[in-house]
Amino acid sequence: MPAIFRDKDFLAGCLFLAIGLFFAVEAPSYGIGTARRMGAGYFPLILGIVLALIGLALSARAVLQSQPDVMPRLFIRPVAAITASIVAFGFLLDRAGLVIATLAAVLVSGLASEETRFFELVLVAIGLTVVSVLLFVQFLGLPIPLWWRL
Amino acid sequence: MSFFDNIAHGFELAFSWWNLIYCVVGVLVGLVIGALPGLGAVTAISMLLPFTFGFDPLSALIMLSGIFYGALYGGSIASILLNLPGTPANAVTALEGNALAKQGRAAMPLFMATVSSFCGSIIALIFVSVAAPAIVTVALDFGPPEYFSMMLLGLIAASAVAADSLLRSIGMTVVGLLIGLVGLDIVSGMMRYTFGVPMLAEGISFIVVAMALFGLSEVISNLEPNTRMEVLKPKTGLRDMLPTAAEARRSVGSILRGTALGGFLGALPGAGPTISSFMAYTVEQRVSRHPELFGKGAIEGVAGPEAANNSAAQTGFIPTLTLGIPGDAVQALILGSLIVHGIQPGPLVMTRSPDLFWGLIASMWIGNIMILFINIPFIGMWVRMLSVPYRLFYPPIIIFLCIGVFSVSNSTFNLYLMAGLGCAGYLLTKLNCPASPLLLGLILGPMMEENLRRSLLLSRGSPMIFIESPISAGILVCCLLFLIFSIYSQIRSRRRSRMADAT
């Protein structure tokens, strides 16, 4: 892969270009109107075009530069584990309640670090469950189901 | 009401039992989270923001701002002991503070950081309570064009000052503005960018975005392997804390210079505590009679920046509370929480709800004094807390984020949104794209669109209205100056680095 595809400026520029174009292309369907009576699409259209131009400038500068500024490595393990932990929490909260969701989310989040020790993690999970039930549900009174509803 | 009546009334409010408790809780949470490296005030505030929705607005504000200045005090602990910034605003403290800690004198910079922060805050607070009412009287004349220009200035200044790459930070601001447009458009009743997802009708909550970009992606970054840290364990007796007479004498000037610099910069849009502390360090280095001591443990390099960042933190409330224009990400969150509580930000806040302003000022006095008494005796405890490994810290943070995001609107949709935005945020940090401009854009976006619409309706579509009003024109000139200055300084630094490459 040529180094330009891993250049920070180039990638950021492409990202901006894509987001800008996405918003700009969608904007006319909301009605642009005139400057005097703006439609819902007026402001997003301008912003989308501005963002796309910024993205273009950023990418162009990267292409013209002699030395690419390579993006540092992405670590997949923490990203995947933390995302999985939150998704597990969300999935279980509706279906099994706060207690099980917290236990599961903590155990899954343990996968994110190489230093995790299993027994320690179990203790943290139990402790956190107790704390969040007492603090958030009992003390602050947030409307969160503790267990599954039958 | 006279000035002193107002202050007295503020103290009356702040001394109510519940407000005192909220103040203590906020300050303690701020101290702890600020002391943990990698987690700053924005993370702490966004984590606790959803839980303050049930409070009355003053209590919420007291607690959130307590977290903010508490985190600035706490951040110096990690900087000095770990050589890792507890919050970005304390990064520069590590230079001299950690050098002193390596000489076995860690307790002294910790003590001096607390004292300087305290002096900076208290002096700045006096300035805030005098300056804010004066600014409000000017701002009452503002109409839609002035507001639009002012917000533009806030966004441009924040992008121009905060980052090394202007294009990137302006780009991130625009992304934030665009995300802010998602949801129901009040004027036309049109659903924008919701794609039939009913949960998006109310828009993407800034809290979810803040938690994802400042909480989640920070946790992920900290979990990368090889980010170990070594804790220095200093002696923390009272005698170890006190500076020598010569050091104390040198610090007095540093504290005053830092306070003045931070107070001035903090009140401007864009330049928050972080920039103030860096500038204060440079100033101290320039004016010092012993510049050779810098880098080897010059206490001025701790006292100046720490006074500056706390002073800037306090004066940063001026534009937020008087104009409704936040200067940095923390102020944006505070402004956002005002909106959530149904308070329309702007100059009317001080006339319509003076309790809010004066109660907050009084609580910041109380909070800062409280920190002085909490922090110094417990320096030993903070040291021990920092030696707890990160693997025990991050699961609670995750759970707090999850429960907080869920309670924003009692739906799991926001949890999935946060997970996705967190991944995006991690990628953006890898691309050196700063998250603060995005947050500012997100919160100001809807207000900017509204004021743009109103201005052009007034002028019948002519953009000249922004230049015809003298205040608005003046502000736009400032925008232009900011842009030119930051482009110029970027070209200069680039040329310099190219010269360095060539030799």
Side-chain angles (χ1 to χ4, degrees):
Chain A
M1 199 163 53
I4 187 75
F5 291 116
R6 284 184 292 139
D7 181 89
K8 279 188 214 163
D9 276 339
F10 183 77
L11 289 174
C14 290
L15 195 66
F16 287 161
L17 183 64
I19 299 175
L21 284 181
F22 170 77
F23 274 91
V25 166
E26 198 67 21
S29 65
Y30 304 117
I32 297 196
T34 60
R36 185 175 174 186
R37 293 216 170 268
M38 272 183 220
Y42 194 96
F43 200 48
L45 180 68
I46 296 176
L47 288 179
I49 293 172
V50 168
L51 186 60
L53 289 177
I54 291 174
L56 264 182
L58 206 54
S59 302
R61 201 177 67 184
V63 174
L64 294 176
Q65 237 160 22
S66 48
Q67 263 184 341
D69 183 8
V70 173
M71 184 175 86
R73 199 187 136 186
L74 293 172
F75 289 87
I76 300 301
R77 180 173 168 169
V79 180
I82 297 296
T83 310
S85 152
I86 293 166
V87 171
F89 186 89
F91 183 80
L92 290 170
L93 193 63
D94 278 342
R95 293 167 178 81
L98 180 66
V99 173
I100 290 174
T102 308
L103 286 173
V106 173
L107 292 178
V108 174
S109 79
L111 297 172
S113 166
E114 288 163 356
E115 293 168 31
T116 305
R117 294 170 201 169
F118 185 69
F119 281 106
E120 211 178 64
L121 188 68
V122 173
L123 286 181
V124 170
I126 295 172
L128 256 180
T129 310
V130 173
V131 169
S132 44
V133 168
L134 290 179
L135 180 64
F136 295 116
V137 181
Q138 302 294 331
F139 180 69
L140 288 176
L142 298 181
I144 305 174
L146 282 185
W147 303 101
W148 54 89
R149 294 189 200 112
L150 290 172
Chain B
M1 263 202 291
S2 82
F3 178 71
F4 289 101
D5 288 339
N6 280 325
I7 290 272
H9 182 58
F11 272 101
E12 221 169 280
L13 292 165
F15 265 117
S16 83
W17 267 111
W18 278 109
N19 285 342
L20 274 180
I21 290 173
Y22 289 134
C23 188
V24 177
V25 171
V27 161
L28 278 178
V29 169
L31 275 170
V32 171
I33 295 190
L36 297 174
L39 294 175
V42 191
T43 318
I45 293 180
S46 55
M47 261 164 70
L48 292 186
L49 200 56
F51 306 117
T52 63
F53 289 169
F55 300 179
D56 69 284
L58 176 61
S59 306
L61 212 54
I62 285 177
M63 187 158 128
L64 296 175
S65 49
I67 299 173
F68 177 32
Y69 54 79
L72 283 176
Y73 279 88
S76 60
I77 301 171
S79 293
I80 292 167
L81 294 178
L82 302 174
N83 202 15
L84 286 174
T87 73
N90 304 102
V92 77
T93 308
L95 293 176
E96 303 304 321
N98 193 250
L100 281 163
K102 288 208 175 101
Q103 296 162 20
R105 296 186 65 201
M108 195 274 285
L110 284 173
F111 174 80
M112 285 309 290
T114 308
V115 173
S116 329
S117 301
F118 176 75
C119 296
S121 298
I122 291 299
I123 299 172
L125 269 177
I126 299 176
F127 177 67
V128 173
S129 38
V130 177
I135 292 177
V136 163
T137 48
V138 178
L140 280 174
D141 296 333
F142 278 23
E146 284 83 8
Y147 269 112
F148 179 81
S149 307
M150 197 67 210
M151 286 179 204
L152 193 67
L153 176 65
L155 292 179
I156 288 183
S159 333
V161 188
D164 51 359
S165 160
L166 184 66
L167 277 179
R168 272 203 185 82
S169 45
I170 292 189
M172 288 297 275
T173 311
V174 180
V175 174
L177 288 169
L178 283 169
I179 296 177
L181 297 179
V182 173
L184 182 73
D185 173 40
I186 313 160
V187 181
S188 64
M190 193 84 91
M191 287 289 180
R192 290 191 285 188
Y193 303 102
T194 56
F195 304 105
V197 181
M199 284 307 300
L200 284 176
E202 285 174 35
I204 295 177
S205 161
F206 71 97
I207 303 166
V208 179
V209 176
M211 283 188 169
L213 297 187
F214 289 92
L216 212 50
S217 63
E218 289 295 328
V219 170
I220 295 174
S221 300
N222 287 338
L223 279 169
E224 289 182 351
N226 312 323
T227 40
R228 295 263 169 77
M229 45 206 175
E230 219 168 301
V231 189
L232 294 162
K233 293 203 179 113
K235 285 178 279 182
T236 50
L238 183 62
R239 199 166 298 163
D240 304 306
M241 289 185 201
L242 295 179
T244 63
E247 282 170 334
R249 220 177 306 123
R250 281 185 282 151
S251 303
V252 175
S254 313
I255 291 175
L256 293 179
R257 278 190 295 273
T259 306
L261 187 69
F264 173 69
L265 288 175
L268 297 181
T274 308
I275 291 145
S276 308
S277 65
F278 277 96
M279 297 267 277
Y281 184 82
T282 323
V283 167
E284 287 312 313
Q285 219 173 1
R286 292 257 169 88
V287 302
S288 171
R289 264 176 235 155
H290 307 279
E292 74 280 359
L293 283 178
F294 276 78
K296 293 176 197 134
I299 192 63
E300 300 97 308
V302 174
E306 282 297 321
N309 65 27
N310 278 73
S311 164
Q314 308 294 354
T315 54
F317 281 92
I318 296 178
T320 312
L321 294 176
T322 60
L323 303 173
I325 314 282
D328 61 2
V330 172
Q331 294 299 337
L333 286 176
I334 296 215
L335 191 82
S337 84
L338 282 181
I339 299 174
V340 169
H341 278 102
I343 295 164
Q344 182 67 38
L348 290 176
V349 169
M350 275 185 70
T351 38
R352 274 196 204 144
S353 33
D355 286 6
L356 204 64
F357 179 79
W358 297 106
L360 178 66
I361 296 286
S363 92
M364 293 203 275
W365 274 90
I366 300 170
N368 275 295
I369 294 170
M370 223 147 44
I371 291 179
L372 201 58
F373 286 101
I374 297 173
N375 219 3
I376 292 177
F378 288 105
I379 283 177
M381 201 190 79
W382 299 124
V383 174
R384 232 168 298 141
M385 193 191 80
L386 281 183
S387 37
V388 174
Y390 193 68
R391 61 171 192 273
L392 296 182
F393 269 126
Y394 79 86
I397 297 172
I398 300 283
I399 298 300
F400 266 67
L401 287 173
C402 284
I403 295 180
V405 157
F406 176 77
S407 60
V408 168
S409 58
N410 287 322
S411 87
T412 48
F413 175 79
N414 280 338
L415 278 165
Y416 304 132
L417 192 61
M418 174 176 76
L421 286 171
C423 296
Y426 178 65
L427 182 69
L428 286 171
T429 54
K430 289 287 171 186
L431 294 174
N432 278 3
C433 291
S436 308
L438 189 151
L439 194 61
L440 273 169
L442 173 62
I443 291 177
L444 288 181
M447 286 190 269
M448 266 185 98
E449 186 186 21
E450 194 190 324
N451 281 300
L452 178 68
R453 272 181 174 162
R454 278 201 208 153
S455 312
L456 290 181
L457 196 65
L458 284 175
S459 75
R460 299 177 190 171
S462 154
M464 293 306 283
I465 189 170
F466 295 108
I467 308 171
E468 276 157 10
S469 138
I471 300 179
S472 165
I475 299 171
L476 287 178
V477 169
C478 290
C479 291
L480 213 60
L481 287 178
F482 256 111
L483 278 178
I484 293 170
F485 172 75
S486 67
I487 291 171
Y488 168 74
S489 66
Q490 253 179 41
I491 292 174
R492 204 180 51 173
S493 73
R494 206 164 277 206
R495 201 172 287 160
R496 207 177 278 168
S497 73
R498 212 173 290 158
M499 296 247 279
D501 283 347
T503 50

